[in-house]
Amino acid sequence: MSRLVLTLPLLLLTCAIWPSQAEARVRLEYICSVQGQQEVRLTGLGMIVGLPGTGDGAKNAPTVRALRAAMARLNQPVLDTEIRNADNVAIVMVEATIPRTGLKRGQKIDCFVNAVMGAKSLRGGRLLSTPLTTADARNQLVIGVAGGAIVVDDPARPTSARITQGVDLVQDVTALFLSKQQDLVTLLIDPAHASFWTASEVARVINSEFTFESAAKTIAKPTGPGSVEIQIPQQYRQNPVEFIAQVLESGIDTPNTQARVILNPRTGTVVVTGEVEISPVIISHKSFVVEIGADDPLLTGPGPFIGLIENSGRQSPQQLKDLVDALNKLRVPTADVIDIIRELHATGKLHAELIEK
């Protein structure tokens, strides 16, 4: 009975700790993608008809020529002089995107159309059948055909519209994720997490997870801060999809996040990622002064003063978050906070990548 009494709390403690450890691990599918899984963009030049006098107009020679060519394909050839008014016709650029998972022939996707000539509005028009191809100039194979009634989503932009399920695929588009010559697959790490440490950790976890299948051989090796090359074990050669699924289900501890500061002056947004540090510095901006881990200065300027100094030492780096919190205490406008961060980066005191949108 005493053993049961002592063991039960231990089991409860183990159950309480285990979920937290599992939750701390990040699955590879959230930070990695498989090389070959990429979106495919389709484009084509088409014609919208049936516009209520808001088209390109007869003064646009390309529109007139396109209309004449369309009439000729319908066995109704006409002369330019016979096309006196092209206000109900507009030339548009048609774009569609095949998701990185790929699609099969017969499936449908949305497309977007944008006027390229002098049309004032595309509302009420209909796109004639338009072949769509990839951007590869060496391969002009028609992948899909777009057509149908258009919908203008934004009234402020009537020359841009979409066609829901307006593209019929006539070719299969699949993701070529496997190198058949060497049975290799490459994982691409999300740029937000890419680093030499993350790539090494991903390779270590994969090698550990598949020790039995690989007979203790190394099957994963990092080839750069953003990629890991994996040799598919022999027993998975006939079913690589299952192997990749198991790889992506593997998890690593919290991945390394590169220190970044993202500024958006238009919306007044400041985003700080990772452990962003700043070197000791004194900031005197307008009516306030902030001291960050520096020696005691002779401060004679007007306005409030805040010192950011850790107990570990006056010359130790400080966190940018502490500076932002201090500036918020002083009720510093966001525009001034952004200016200060810019100056810190320009002087080399901000130890992070600065991104402005």
Side-chain angles (χ1 to χ4, degrees), residues 129-140:
S129 295
T130 303
L132 302 181
T133 61
T134 63
D136 188 358
R138 298 169 298 178
N139 182 12
Q140 289 298 307

Side-chain angles (χ1 to χ4, degrees), residues 48 51-52 54-55 90 92 113-115 119-125 150-162:
I48 288 182
L51 298 174
T54 58
V92 294
V113 297
N114 293 277
K120 299 179 180 62
S121 174
L122 301 180
R123 186 179 288 106
I150 68 169
V151 176
V152 176
D153 292 323
D154 187 358
R157 300 180 58 192
T159 56
S160 297
R162 64 178 172 86

Side-chain angles (χ1 to χ4, degrees), residues 185-205:
V185 63
T186 301
L187 290 185
L188 302 178
I189 303 173
D190 185 348
H193 298 94
S195 68
F196 288 103
W197 183 91
T198 302
S200 299
E201 183 66 9
V202 169
R204 185 194 66 78
V205 168

Side-chain angles (χ1 to χ4, degrees), residues 15-27 251-254:
C15 293
I17 294 176
W18 174 253
S20 63
Q21 292 178 342
E23 291 174 1
R25 296 179 67 82
V26 178
R27 293 171 63 174
I252 65 172
D253 294 332
T254 303

